[in-house]
Amino acid sequence: MVHTSLDVVDEKISAMGKALVDQRELYLGLLYPTEDYKVYGYVTNSKVKFVMVVDSSNPALRDNEIRSMFRKLHNSYTDVMCNPFYNPGDRIQSRAFDSMVTSMMIQVC
Amino acid sequence: MDAPEEPLPPVIYTMENKPIVTCAGDQNLFTSIYPTLSQQLPREPMEWRRSYGRAPKMIHLESNFVQFKEELLPKEGNKALLTFPFLHIYWTECCDTEVYKATVKDDLTKWQNVLKAHSSVDWLIVVVENDAKKKNKTNILPRTSIVDKIRNDFCNKQSDRCVVLTDPLKDSSRTQESWNTFLTKLRTLLLMSFTKNLGKFEDDMRTLREKRTEPGWSFCEYFMVQEELAFVFEMLQQFEDALVQYDELDALFSQYVVNFGAGDGANWLTFFCQPVKSWNGLILRKPIDMEKRELIQRQEATLLDLRSYLFARQCTLLLFLQRPWEVAQRALELLHSCVQELKLLEVSVPPGALDCWVFLSCLEVLQRIEGCCDRAQMDSNIAHTVGLWSYATEKLKALGYLCGLVSEKGPDSEDLNRTVDLLAGLGAERPETANTAQSPYKKLKEALSSVEAFEKHYLDLSHATIEMYTSIGRIRSAKFVGKDLAEFYMRKKSPQKAESYLQGALKNYLAEGWALPITHTQKQLAECQKHLGQIENYLQTSSLLAGDHHLTEEERTYFCQEILNFASQHTDSPGHKVVLPMHSFAHLRDLRFTPANAVVHVGGILSVEITVCSQMPIPVRVEQITISVHFSVEKNSYRKTAEWLTKHKTSNGIISFPAETLPFPASQNSLPALELYEMFERSPSDNSLNTTGIICKNVHMLLRRQESGAALDSPSGVALEDGPHVLQCGDVTLAPGANTVTFRTQAKEPGTYTLRQLCASAGPVCFVLPHLYPLAQYDVYSQEPQLHVEPLADSLLAGIPQKVKFTVTTGHYTVKNGDSLQLSNVEAMPVLCHAENRAVIYSNAREKASEASLRVQSSDKVTSISLPAVPAYHVIEFELEVLSLPSAPATAGESSALGVTEAQRKHKDTPKAGHCMATTDHKVSIECPWSIYSTVIALTFSMPFRTTHALLSSGTRKYIQVCVQNLSDLDFRLSDSALADVGGSADLQLRPLNLESQQHICSRQSVFFVWELTWTREPPPPLHARFSVGFRPASQERLTVSLKPYTYEFQVENFFTLYNVRAEILPPAGMELCRTGALCALEVAITRLSDLLEVDRDEALTESDEHFSTKLMYEVVDNSSNWAVCGKSSGVISMPVVPQATHRVHMEVMPLFAGYLPLPDIRLFKYLPHHSAHSSQLDADSWIENDSLSVDKHVDDQLDSSSIKSRGSVHSAASSEHKGLPMPRLQALPPGQVFNSSAGMQILVIPSKDDHVLEVSVT
């Protein structure tokens, strides 16, 4: 499902690429609603894509919450990337990143 | 005009609704005006300023003019806005005061009262003036009077509520003007009314909404109220605003549902929670679905009804707004949220009912959109609708599974019952769609009716969806639908159709590296392939799955077992082999060669140890693991020598393979890392930097087409290589995780072996790793036995024992016990045998293997060294001491006097060549047991010393000086120096003047020895002497061997003094001392000391009477420029050969410097006249003068003034050059024959008194 939603990500990015490049909104919004889940997307300036799948029956998750979650995720991801011992492309094994994601999950559920 | 007859219930068809304006008064008049009015009113837009800061809008007003009736006025509490009369107009044509007073006024008053009773303030009185009428009547009051009256009577403060319309039916400018005024007024008033009434309505509505927390509040009631507002907006063609009303309602409802889910339930909501009984989908064809509206009004609507109605309204409005794509988008959202809401509210829904509803709704929406768009628009907006398509497909699939339409057997009775129930819930087809062939209702009904029909519909839908996804570039989504389709085909037992979809999806996932989808798809594919009987593919997929960590242990075990079962079943058919790629089965982690440098000699044992990580969940017994090896003979034979190999391979023998060759090479993972290098380009002229950059060395790897890389993964790429060279290891059980397998091989042919393929076979199944990368190879070499002999030190010194290292490289030869090296002895270089010699044996890899003792046996001719038994490809090293005897006849020293002079000359000419040692070569031939030819080895020894001798005279006494110069780096101790006359004449005695018997000679230093030579017979015979000195290295106190002394032979002749030369400088007459610049007298006395001797008998000797005389030439030379010789500096004298005969020469010299100056040199030559009768003495003299001058200059160049010998020899050489010319020759007297008794004398010269510069010209 995440995979499929990448279609939409691509579509949105290419649509946006023509628009303002510098003031681009990183948050892509709802990508791919299905009956049970909602897929949200976020793409960084370096075209790193984050995709989040949430249970669509969870009413607490509005656009704004998702947006802030993505922002947090992005910050944490940036920290991981700044680690000189991290090889881009490897699996992320940062404890800080993990705990951040976990805390986000807990907060939501 | 007939609408007002039956105001309730209004048939509300939106476009036909217009705001109501009532008309009272003169109906006939109005009727006459109406056509113009209704035509003119909407013609011009009017700006509508709105309350609450909403943006003003230009609207075109239209009105529905109805006759005024009291019933039309809304009663208190009636919220119906649609039927609300927004403006009341009273029309009158009255121009007569009488009439006015009689009827119109009353009528007006009545009308006004009615309005007041209903608190309606939106009214207008129109007075139509007609010129024609006026003219008929003569008693006309002023025109204005009626209007004024009316204004007075009714419009207390609002005079603008009365309008005059002049000649409405005429076409004059005045008419036009009055129309305009009227219309403007009318519009303004209408809008005012709207603003006021709608504002009031909205306020009421808001109040109602605020009450929603009260228990009795009903959403449905509120819904109707707000919808009324929406209707009005719609009526005013303000669809945007109308839509807002519905959206508000939508949001409100959604919020309630969400709150309900959170436990905050409103009472009215429970009503919506009743079980769903009907699921007939959205109805979008009618602008307003009155059925549903009524249900809502009656508060009987279900959630689906409400949602359907709401959406239908929204849809209608959106279509009005020309936004069909929003419809599609909202529809999808709606459908999703409805499903969620039903779940949230825990509404009981029969299984499949929702699917039906969603399916129908999707199709309905799609068809509705299609209905209002043309083909091109549809095609360009697939992105919006495709979601609905795929949703419909999904739902139909779900229905199919639910109703048993997908299984192979067809639906059973239970399925049929369920189908019937579902169809019942659809109700009857609606009349609007009954005639269309493709209505969603019909489709669904048909699809559910039979297996075939379902298949047809489902396939249609799926293909359409896939096509759409593909056309808009959402390949991934298309693959996803394709996977569903594949699943469907699998259920239908037609795996061949499913396979292509699965492969397509798998390829896509593989290309992007999505592990979980890959696993899932592969699982499906495996099943598919199993059904298809594609054994090879199935096994391959199974192996991939068995090694897939995303699967559970059981599943992996299952797939692994599948492979093993196959392997065990098909053992009987040997010809067929199933070749599978290795990477799924196991991963080669590293490879280790022993010996570590991966070099073995022929016949040597090489073991290759590989570490294989098995990815199977259970231990797998593999019958055989083989590595096929590519053999190549290398041209460069040097590469295979042990030295080269040991030098150049420094690795530890472990080759590690890249960590994980993923079974799903994500595009970026499979790429090799960039290899970047700096690049600088400098300009050739001034070396300045021209260009700099980064070069990527593996561009060809990075930029190659992706397909070719992917092709490697396909099974066809794996071919089993059958080479003649194979490493094998049988019967291995590979446990999960790391396993170590060791291959052993005996090297056979020399060459390079490259490991190519790794293959693990179990029965007919082979797992093949087609390429080993990085390259692993080992070398096999063969080597001829060799013997090397080299000195241990830089150079060998003669005379003392020196160590020589013997290195025997056995190569392929095995040294047996008793094999020995036979050294042919050279007399001058004996091999010193010690009691014990040890040989060290190394393996070819320079590892010390053992040590053995060595027996060295010397006989007369040969020295035999018996080697210890050593296997092939080893190295034996041992050292032997050899001694080069210094007294080897050919080389020991220069024996002739000429030789001495030559050596000395050489030494003097090239003083820097002092380090050159005399060398001796000894050739030793060695017979090796492995060869019939003997090896000849040349050893070069250097003499550590160089010796020179000199003859010193003091008057007639003679001394011999021997100088020993140490040229080596060692210090030596000299002892027992001796000089012996080997000439054997008893007339000569040598008396040593050396005191110490032992002397130390340091490196690069000299030691001098002196003997006095005495003789008993005059003249003494020539001396043939041998100098010998014992020596040994100073560092070694005791030597095991007795060393031969160092000897040096030389010969001295004619050392007997014949002439004594005495020079004296006398100060000028009358002066005590010499002064610079003043001429002094140089007196030279040459005295003959002996009688006529043998040596005098030569050409110079002349005999007259009984006297013999010889001709001598003297020469005064001052090389240090202390003296200026005035007059002739040389001359020829005739010397009588008589003892004590003296010849005096007087010359004038002038000192040039002050101080103690040495006397000028006086040189004496033997003058050999040319055999010519005509040569006179004078002539000869002049000749000589010239000659001597030239000689003088020549000598000056040589920078040596003291060597008479050298001079003479040069001179003789020069004269020999003049051979054949009629000129006299000069011959040097041997060194011993002339004694210069004034040598070393000095004379004091004082500076002259006058300071003027002295200019002296020397002729």
Side-chain angles (χ1 to χ4, degrees), chain B residues 486-746:
Chain B
E487 200 179 326
F488 169 75
Y489 278 128
M490 286 304 293
R491 291 271 197 128
K492 299 290 284 181
K493 297 283 176 237
S494 47
Q496 65 278 7
K497 282 184 188 159
E499 200 202 348
S500 64
Y501 287 105
L502 289 175
Q503 291 284 15
L506 185 62
K507 206 169 144 194
N508 189 239
Y509 293 141
L510 279 172
E512 293 178 21
W514 290 81
L516 284 173
I518 287 170
T519 309
H520 186 246
T521 314
Q522 269 172 347
K523 230 163 84 181
Q524 286 180 312
L525 195 60
E527 204 189 332
C528 173
Q529 284 162 343
K530 192 178 185 183
H531 285 300
L532 280 176
Q534 297 174 337
I535 292 168
E536 210 155 302
N537 290 346
Y538 175 61
L539 289 178
Q540 193 189 341
T541 314
S542 297
S543 76
L544 284 172
L545 287 168
D548 197 329
H549 297 284
H550 297 292
L551 285 178
T552 59
E553 199 70 14
E554 295 89 65
E555 281 173 305
R556 291 176 58 192
T557 314
Y558 166 76
F559 283 111
C560 187
Q561 207 59 54
E562 285 280 301
I563 301 169
L564 295 180
N565 287 348
F566 176 83
S568 56
Q569 277 164 18
H570 293 76
T571 42
D572 45 341
S573 59
H576 180 67
K577 280 209 167 190
V578 180
V579 178
L580 300 176
M582 168 78 86
H583 62 74
S584 57
F585 170 74
H587 160 64
L588 179 61
R589 196 198 281 158
D590 54 36
L591 189 147
R592 179 203 297 265
F593 285 111
T594 314
N597 56 6
V599 176
V600 282
H601 49 76
V602 170
I605 299 287
L606 175 92
S607 73
V608 182
E609 192 180 285
I610 58 170
T611 309
V612 174
C613 279
S614 171
Q615 288 166 346
M616 294 291 120
I618 51 171
V620 178
R621 221 196 105 239
V622 177
E623 283 157 17
Q624 203 172 47
I625 294 183
T626 56
I627 300 179
S628 68
V629 171
H630 175 79
F631 168 68
S632 67
V633 180
E634 255 183 78
K635 304 279 178 292
N636 185 2
S637 56
Y638 168 66
R639 256 208 62 171
K640 289 187 281 293
T641 59
E643 298 98 289
W644 189 89
L645 294 168
T646 40
K647 262 179 224 157
H648 284 78
K649 281 219 179 170
T650 48
S651 69
N652 52 2
I654 300 175
I655 296 168
S656 290
F657 292 91
E660 179 86 340
T661 46
L662 294 165
F664 37 87
S667 48
Q668 64 263 47
N669 288 0
S670 64
L671 282 178
L674 279 172
E675 283 176 37
L676 296 175
Y677 294 91
E678 288 174 279
M679 186 266 294
F680 300 106
E681 198 170 285
R682 293 174 187 280
S683 79
S685 54
D686 56 347
N687 203 33
S688 66
L689 198 60
N690 260 357
T691 324
T692 180
I694 291 173
I695 292 179
C696 178
K697 287 237 170 145
N698 51 356
V699 178
H700 58 288
M701 304 274 281
L702 292 163
L703 296 186
R704 72 174 172 204
R705 288 194 322 146
Q706 212 59 56
E707 275 73 19
S708 59
L712 269 175
D713 298 328
S714 66
S716 59
V718 181
L720 195 59
E721 242 178 51
D722 254 338
H725 301 276
V726 153
L727 303 178
Q728 280 194 341
C729 189
D731 206 5
V732 182
T733 301
L734 295 177
N739 295 276
T740 308
V741 183
T742 309
F743 300 91
R744 281 183 170 281
T745 183
Q746 189 163 27

Side-chain angles (χ1 to χ4, degrees), chain B residues 191-203:
Chain B
L191 282 180
M192 272 171 63
S193 166
F194 285 155
T195 313
K196 199 171 73 193
N197 287 306
L198 288 184
K200 188 162 164 277
F201 188 84
E202 273 178 34
D203 286 344

Side-chain angles (χ1 to χ4, degrees), chain B residues 20 69 87 214 226 446 454 666 682 695 871 929 971 1048 1209:
Chain B
I20 292 168
K69 280 178 189 165
L87 190 64
E214 289 172 17
Q226 189 156 8
E446 198 186 320
F454 174 80
R682 293 174 187 280
I695 292 179
D971 296 350
Y1048 172 66
S1209 71

Side-chain angles (χ1 to χ4, degrees), chain B residues 1047-1067:
Chain B
T1047 59
Y1048 172 66
E1049 285 185 27
F1050 59 93
Q1051 211 167 358
V1052 185
E1053 288 178 317
N1054 298 334
F1055 50 84
F1056 186 70
T1057 310
L1058 295 179
Y1059 303 99
N1060 188 12
V1061 178
R1062 173 180 292 272
E1064 199 179 355
I1065 288 181
L1066 301 171

Side-chain angles (χ1 to χ4, degrees), chain B residues 272-463:
Chain B
F272 285 105
C273 298
Q274 58 190 308
V276 175
K277 292 195 187 73
S278 153
W279 39 87
N280 47 11
L282 293 174
I283 295 144
L284 303 174
R285 279 157 223 255
K286 288 186 287 186
I288 294 176
D289 185 353
M290 289 315 290
E291 271 177 62
K292 294 246 163 67
R293 188 161 193 271
E294 272 164 46
L295 281 175
I296 295 167
Q297 215 159 8
R298 280 184 274 135
Q299 310 206 349
E300 283 170 12
T302 60
L303 184 114
L304 282 186
D305 290 334
L306 178 74
R307 281 291 184 195
S308 300
Y309 177 71
L310 203 52
F311 183 73
R313 293 294 303 142
Q314 287 170 331
C315 170
T316 311
L317 290 171
L318 284 170
L319 288 177
F320 278 137
L321 287 168
Q322 299 291 314
R323 279 146 57 179
W325 316 122
E326 204 175 328
V327 176
Q329 199 186 328
R330 278 172 178 241
L332 202 56
E333 257 171 62
L334 165 92
L335 296 176
H336 287 146
S337 66
C338 274
V339 174
Q340 284 304 318
E341 281 171 0
L342 285 175
K343 258 187 220 162
L344 199 62
L345 296 177
E346 291 158 1
V347 176
S348 76
V349 184
L354 264 182
D355 297 330
C356 283
W357 184 76
V358 170
F359 178 74
L360 288 174
S361 303
C362 283
L363 290 191
E364 177 72 20
V365 171
L366 288 172
Q367 287 189 353
R368 183 81 185 90
I369 293 171
E370 268 170 46
C372 63
C373 299
D374 55 21
R375 192 78 224 149
Q377 264 180 306
M378 284 302 290
D379 284 346
S380 56
N381 284 287
I382 287 173
H384 297 102
T385 53
V386 73
L388 285 172
W389 281 103
S390 84
Y391 199 25
T393 315
E394 203 179 302
K395 286 300 161 191
L396 187 60
K397 187 184 83 176
L399 280 174
Y401 284 118
L402 189 73
C403 300
L405 294 167
V406 185
S407 65
E408 216 177 354
K409 302 182 287 288
D412 52 19
S413 61
E414 201 180 318
D415 294 332
L416 285 174
N417 278 340
R418 203 175 291 137
T419 313
V420 170
D421 286 347
L422 281 177
L423 288 177
L426 294 178
E429 175 150 35
R430 245 162 277 116
E432 305 94 62
T433 60
N435 300 326
T436 44
Q438 287 284 309
S439 72
Y441 179 81
K442 287 204 186 90
K443 268 192 180 174
L444 181 59
K445 214 157 183 184
E446 198 186 320
L448 294 184
S449 64
S450 74
V451 177
E452 293 76 26
F454 174 80
E455 186 176 342
K456 177 183 164 291
H457 279 285
Y458 178 64
L459 291 183
D460 279 353
L461 261 182
S462 294
H463 287 308

Side-chain angles (χ1 to χ4, degrees), chain B residues 151-274:
Chain B
R151 279 192 183 142
N152 262 343
D153 292 344
F154 303 103
C155 319
N156 306 334
K157 288 150 203 163
Q158 306 146 293
S159 58
D160 57 337
R161 293 264 170 188
C162 183
V163 179
V164 179
L165 185 63
T166 319
D167 285 340
L169 299 176
K170 284 199 176 161
D171 192 17
S172 67
S173 61
R174 197 155 154 246
T175 315
Q176 201 63 46
E177 197 183 315
S178 81
W179 261 115
N180 279 347
T181 329
F182 167 68
L183 285 173
T184 313
K185 180 66 83 186
L186 184 63
R187 285 179 195 132
T188 316
L189 287 175
L190 259 176
L191 282 180
M192 272 171 63
S193 166
F194 285 155
T195 313
K196 199 171 73 193
N197 287 306
L198 288 184
K200 188 162 164 277
F201 188 84
E202 273 178 34
D203 286 344
D204 287 348
M205 189 183 79
R206 234 164 259 128
T207 324
L208 186 61
R209 192 160 66 194
E210 290 316 309
K211 286 183 193 158
R212 64 181 181 272
T213 43
E214 289 172 17
W217 193 80
S218 160
F219 178 76
C220 289
E221 277 170 32
Y222 176 74
F223 182 90
M224 296 323 280
V225 171
Q226 189 156 8
E227 195 187 22
E228 200 75 24
L229 186 63
F231 280 149
V232 173
F233 281 124
E234 194 183 345
M235 179 174 79
L236 294 174
Q237 311 229 325
Q238 297 306 301
F239 303 117
E240 202 75 55
D241 292 289
L243 188 60
V244 167
Q245 303 311 315
Y246 282 111
D247 288 348
E248 275 179 18
L249 281 171
D250 196 348
L252 186 68
F253 186 74
S254 301
Q255 192 55 48
Y256 265 107
V257 174
V258 167
N259 288 353
F260 183 85
D264 177 19
N267 282 341
W268 56 267
L269 204 59
T270 51
F271 174 75
F272 285 105
C273 298
Q274 58 190 308

Side-chain angles (χ1 to χ4, degrees), chain A residues 2-4 6-8 10-11 33-36 56-57 59 62, chain B residues 255 258 336 339-340 343 391 395 474-477 508-509 512 514:
Chain A
V2 173
H3 179 243
T4 318
L6 277 182
D7 272 343
V8 190
D10 285 351
E11 212 171 86
T34 62
E35 226 173 85
D36 304 317
S56 53
S57 64
R62 301 266 180 82
Chain B
Q255 192 55 48
V258 167
H336 287 146
V339 174
Q340 284 304 318
K343 258 187 220 162
Y391 199 25
K395 286 300 161 191
R474 295 197 191 177
I475 306 294
R476 302 179 183 93
S477 309
N508 189 239
Y509 293 141
E512 293 178 21
W514 290 81

